[in-house]
Amino acid sequence: MSEKDRPLLIEAQDFNGLLLSLKRLGYATYAPTVRDGAIVYDLVDSADDLPIGIGDVQEPGSYRLRKRGDGSFFGFVVGPHSWKKFLHPPTVKLFTINSNGKIVANLENSDQKLAFIGVRPCELQAIKILDKVLLGGEYLDIVYASRRKDVFFVVVNCIEPGGNCFCASVGTGPEAKDGFDLCLTELLKPDGHYFLVRIGSEKGRELISSVHYRQATDEEVELASRLLTLSSEHMGKKLEIKGMKELLYRNLDHPHWDEVAKRCLTCGNCTMVCPTCFCTTVYETTNLSLKYAEKWRSWDTCFSQEFSYIHGGPIRYSISARYRHWLMHKMATWMDQFGTLGCVGCGRCITWCPVGIDITEEVKQIDKRDGEVKVKVE
Amino acid sequence: MKDSIPKLAVFKFSSCDGCQLSILDLEDELLEIGRRVNIAYFLEASRATVKGPYDVGLVEGSISTPHEKELIKDVRQKCKTLITIGACATAGGIQALRNWKDVKEFVSVVYAKPEYIETLEKATPISEHVKVDFELRGCPVNKYQILEVLTAFLAGRKPNIPSHSVCVECKRKGNVCIMVSNGVPCLGPVTQVGCGAICPSYGRGCYGCFGPMESPNAESLGERILQLGISKRDIVLMFKGFNGWSEPFRKAGDAFEE
């Protein structure tokens, strides 16, 4: 390792300095914080707002906080929110038009600089995927583009994966490789509480110089690396992605789709919590005087009938068709459409499914009984 | 001027009047509504009435007496567009809980002179009796959904009343799911959106006031609630509420009967 690339080390007490520097630079500082029994993403004023000493326990359909008994700042994994809520807001008014067809109020673009603190490697990949979907094509999503243009990423690697995590299987974590301004690994050592810091951009380098730091020792670099290796070996879930696309494509009539459908509520929670699900519905409202109409956009879900409604009815009427469509998109058709998996292995869809449907388990079931075809009733 | 604008009528059948009150709750909009439509028949608001026919009729309440069974046919004939409002009108309401029991027995126990009581065996939604053009859910209805339906009617467009789950609304609001994070039994996943996810926003499970969503898998949700440690009896009571007689909730409730 050249001395220039050598990671730095800051003490945990200096973390707050990073946050304050970001605020001084005009960033709105968003980070994990405890609210309503979960770790959500919200505006924070200082490091005191972080979930200090709090961890989470996640199972299919279940999420609980726990006291860790240490002073860790990032001793948890991902919660119910994802960063997409800031970049791709749940509801946006696109414009207001009057009865003469004149636009009287345009989309209010955001010029707020955003600092995302505590972004996980899987979430960074999710944002890269959204970049491709919403900015990578012929038409830019201007809502996303205006929010995305000045984001400072403080990524935190995951040394303790959660019960539903499988980033190691899909290659998005537990360590971020690039795309961040700063990337931290939290080290709770007998002699103190530190963050190993990798610099990913010039902005990151400037920020770190605003606090007290030193070069990390070989022993510290080695410790971080060992923790991350351990982490990737202890993921709560596993998914075999080799040959997965082909497996799914050749099992469109597999009986397991109907078996999932018996449990699936079509409530849409998986799509709402998914950090890469980007679908929206656009609708108009009018006021009583019919002098003005507004055009709005809200997060939509492919689990609703209206989502695929065309003349005559919804294309995907059955629950199994809707579940299959969603899983196939995340795990197979996304690759053909955008060149990557649509899944980043964060496990949110598993945790926040009210009945605990586990996407990794459903793929496994199809693999186990590869080639089975459901009996068609004539 | 009143002749050139649509005539609105509001009718009440077996109900608590709460949905009609939701119309009156539209305090900021009532004057404008009065300018856009001729409120021709609305006894909850005024005893001054204008004879039919009416362009649009809002119907609250379920059919629970022989008299109502006839009256609704007359109302249907008088209204070009007929919109039912609330859980009673769309699913039978709380009084439909009688549908599982012996009404004659109730009548004999409750009333001093049961022979004066004329009632039907079952309380049923309006759509079982006449053709309904649009159903607005809720116990009570959301006043803004009433406004949306009236506005859409005036504009000649389809009302924007989604039929997906309450969960979508909860997640858009950024709520933490109380069922997943706290084990609170919640009917949100099988209930139609429209209330603004009020109860889960305050840490209380959804009561299902807006009835079944478009493709409810109520039995699967019931199984999960059972795993959370709720008794079968309580699960039955959850489903057999304001919208208990709606087919999906009825079936799910019956499935957990012991």
Side-chain angles (χ1 to χ4, degrees):
Chain A
M1 173 184 344
S2 77
E3 282 311 297
K4 190 174 158 288
D5 295 334
R6 178 173 284 276
L8 308 175
L9 199 85
I10 63 169
E11 289 193 30
Q13 64 189 24
D14 290 320
F15 185 89
N16 196 44
L18 290 181
L19 213 150
L20 297 180
S21 297
L22 283 165
K23 285 168 88 84
R24 260 198 307 279
L25 290 167
Y27 286 97
T29 46
Y30 289 97
T33 191
V34 174
R35 197 189 80 204
D36 298 334
I39 292 166
V40 300
Y41 296 150
D42 212 337
L43 274 177
V44 295
D45 285 327
S46 77
D48 292 341
D49 294 337
L50 296 174
I52 295 172
I54 306 286
D56 53 15
V57 183
Q58 302 195 30
E59 288 168 30
S62 172
Y63 177 99
R64 294 291 184 277
L65 294 183
R66 67 176 175 99
K67 286 209 172 80
R68 292 174 54 91
D70 61 19
S72 65
F73 287 10
F74 296 96
F76 48 85
V77 290
V78 296
H81 290 178
S82 73
W83 303 98
K84 94 174 168 184
K85 72 171 186 163
F86 302 114
L87 299 174
H88 184 55
T91 297
V92 192
K93 182 156 86 175
L94 298 175
F95 57 78
T96 307
I97 191 165
N98 70 14
S99 53
N100 298 323
K102 187 172 182 285
I103 290 180
V104 291
N106 240 317
L107 176 71
E108 283 175 29
N109 276 325
S110 168
D111 51 8
Q112 176 65 55
K113 290 160 54 169
L114 305 171
F116 293 168
I117 299 155
V119 176
R120 299 302 185 163
C122 62
E123 302 187 295
L124 194 63
Q125 172 63 15
I127 293 168
K128 284 183 198 169
I129 288 173
L130 287 182
D131 287 351
K132 192 159 205 176
V133 173
L134 300 172
L135 305 177
E138 200 173 336
Y139 302 99
L140 289 190
D141 183 307
I142 53 174
V143 177
Y144 185 84
S146 81
R147 286 159 177 77
R148 180 68 181 86
K149 64 176 182 286
D150 198 347
V151 181
F152 193 104
F153 289 103
V154 180
V155 169
V156 176
N157 289 329
C158 291
I159 50 171
E160 281 181 40
N164 292 329
C165 288
F166 56 103
C167 64
S169 296
V170 295
T172 63
E175 183 180 15
K177 303 290 181 211
D178 55 31
F180 49 78
D181 295 293
L182 293 177
C183 177
L184 316 183
T185 307
E186 187 166 23
L187 300 176
L188 281 153
K189 300 203 298 172
D191 69 330
H193 184 185
Y194 305 95
F195 288 98
L196 188 90
V197 183
R198 282 181 198 278
I199 291 166
S201 73
E202 214 33 60
K203 279 193 299 184
R205 189 175 302 280
E206 278 168 36
L207 190 80
I208 206 72
S209 64
S210 70
V211 299
H212 181 75
Y213 68 88
R214 66 167 168 81
Q215 295 229 312
T217 63
D218 285 347
E219 182 253 333
E220 286 154 350
V221 175
E222 176 56 30
L223 173 64
S225 153
R226 203 166 58 240
L227 287 172
L228 290 166
T229 306
L230 269 176
S231 167
S232 71
E233 288 164 1
H234 288 89
M235 293 280 145
K237 300 283 172 193
K238 274 201 175 75
L239 181 71
E240 180 52 60
I241 62 165
K242 195 165 161 251
M244 180 173 63
K245 186 176 103 174
E246 294 73 21
L247 169 78
L248 293 171
Y249 271 130
R250 68 175 174 265
N251 282 291
L252 294 175
D253 286 321
H254 198 282
H256 191 64
W257 299 117
D258 285 350
E259 286 151 27
V260 186
K262 285 186 193 139
R263 288 173 283 140
C264 176
L265 305 174
T266 63
C267 57
N269 275 302
C270 47
T271 58
M272 297 284 121
V273 295
C274 176
T276 67
C277 272
F278 56 84
C279 286
T280 51
T281 178
V282 172
Y283 50 97
E284 288 85 25
T285 63
T286 44
N287 71 346
L288 262 178
S289 70
L290 304 183
K291 284 183 181 145
Y292 295 99
E294 293 170 351
K295 206 169 186 83
W296 289 79
R297 186 178 94 173
S298 290
W299 286 354
D300 202 3
T301 171
C302 52
F303 282 87
S304 87
Q305 290 185 345
E306 201 155 339
F307 184 85
S308 70
Y309 189 92
I310 56 161
H311 170 76
I315 295 174
R316 289 181 285 276
Y317 185 76
S318 71
I319 295 180
S320 62
R322 279 179 261 167
Y323 185 81
R324 182 182 65 185
H325 170 78
W326 178 71
L327 186 146
M328 290 288 296
H329 196 206
K330 291 290 144 186
M331 300 298 190
T333 54
W334 203 292
M335 289 196 229
D336 293 333
Q337 195 180 1
F338 300 112
T340 64
L341 274 177
C343 172
V344 298
C346 71
R348 283 185 180 86
C349 58
I350 307 173
T351 302
W352 299 97
C353 171
V355 294
I357 293 173
D358 178 345
I359 194 168
T360 65
E361 194 52 43
E362 311 318 330
V363 173
K364 249 177 244 164
Q365 285 301 322
I366 286 170
D367 188 30
K368 217 185 269 177
R369 294 149 56 199
D370 187 5
E372 264 186 52
V373 177
K374 71 179 165 201
V375 182
K376 287 209 171 92
V377 182
E378 293 301 327
Chain B
M1 188 234 173
K2 285 269 173 189
D3 290 338
S4 61
I5 59 174
K7 276 161 84 178
L8 169 79
V10 183
F11 301 96
K12 172 197 156 65
F13 286 78
S14 290
S15 58
C16 77
D17 292 37
C19 292
Q20 295 183 78
L21 282 177
S22 297
I23 304 174
L24 294 173
D25 262 351
L26 282 163
E27 292 172 352
D28 294 338
E29 295 85 6
L30 269 182
L31 288 177
E32 185 64 21
I33 292 173
R35 273 192 283 273
R36 298 290 147 195
V37 297
N38 177 0
I39 303 173
Y41 184 94
F42 187 5
L43 292 182
E44 180 101 0
S46 168
R47 62 184 150 174
T49 60
V50 180
K51 271 192 183 165
Y54 306 106
D55 293 287
V56 58
L58 304 178
V59 175
E60 177 199 84
S62 62
I63 302 301
S64 72
T65 67
H67 169 67
E68 287 178 338
K69 212 174 159 175
E70 292 310 308
L71 186 62
I72 189 62
K73 290 177 192 158
D74 182 47
V75 164
R76 172 70 264 192
Q77 274 196 331
K78 282 183 182 152
C79 299
K80 276 190 209 161
T81 298
L82 190 131
I83 299 166
T84 50
I85 57 169
C88 299
T90 59
I94 203 77
Q95 59 274 23
L97 293 180
R98 72 161 75 165
N99 299 0
W100 281 274
K101 304 287 182 191
D102 180 2
V103 174
K104 283 196 191 101
E105 193 193 331
F106 287 157
V107 172
S108 69
V109 173
V110 173
Y111 297 97
K113 294 203 176 289
E115 59 272 26
Y116 292 150
I117 302 299
E118 276 196 355
T119 190
L120 296 170
E121 289 279 314
K122 287 184 166 57
T124 45
I126 302 298
S127 60
E128 276 193 28
H129 301 271
V130 294
K131 180 178 172 287
V132 170
D133 298 300
F134 195 79
E135 289 191 325
L136 202 53
R137 302 280 195 78
C139 185
V141 285
N142 177 333
K143 64 178 184 177
Y144 297 111
Q145 286 205 330
I146 289 198
L147 190 65
E148 166 61 14
V149 166
L150 286 179
T151 311
F153 171 78
L154 290 170
R157 64 171 170 83
K158 186 171 161 264
N160 183 27
I161 305 289
S163 55
H164 54 66
S165 72
V166 171
C167 302
V168 172
E169 188 68 29
C170 238
K171 287 287 187 292
R172 284 180 188 159
K173 285 176 86 170
N175 287 350
V176 175
C177 177
I178 52 172
M179 188 152 143
V180 170
S181 74
N182 203 18
V184 176
C186 179
L187 291 186
V190 296
T191 299
Q192 180 168 306
V193 70
C195 62
I198 302 173
C199 293
S201 301
Y202 290 94
R204 177 61 172 80
C206 168
Y207 287 90
C209 303
F210 277 62
M213 50 87 92
E214 56 190 14
S215 52
N217 192 345
E219 284 174 49
S220 171
L221 180 67
E223 288 296 335
R224 178 63 183 162
I225 292 174
L226 196 63
Q227 288 171 9
L228 295 176
I230 308 299
S231 70
K232 283 192 172 180
R233 182 175 175 274
D234 286 342
I235 294 171
V236 172
L237 294 179
M238 283 180 78
F239 284 119
K240 292 187 179 174
F242 317 105
N243 288 283
W245 193 245
S246 67
E247 199 188 335
F249 286 4
R250 191 196 320 170
K251 278 189 179 164
D254 288 344
F256 288 91
E257 279 291 2
E258 283 179 295

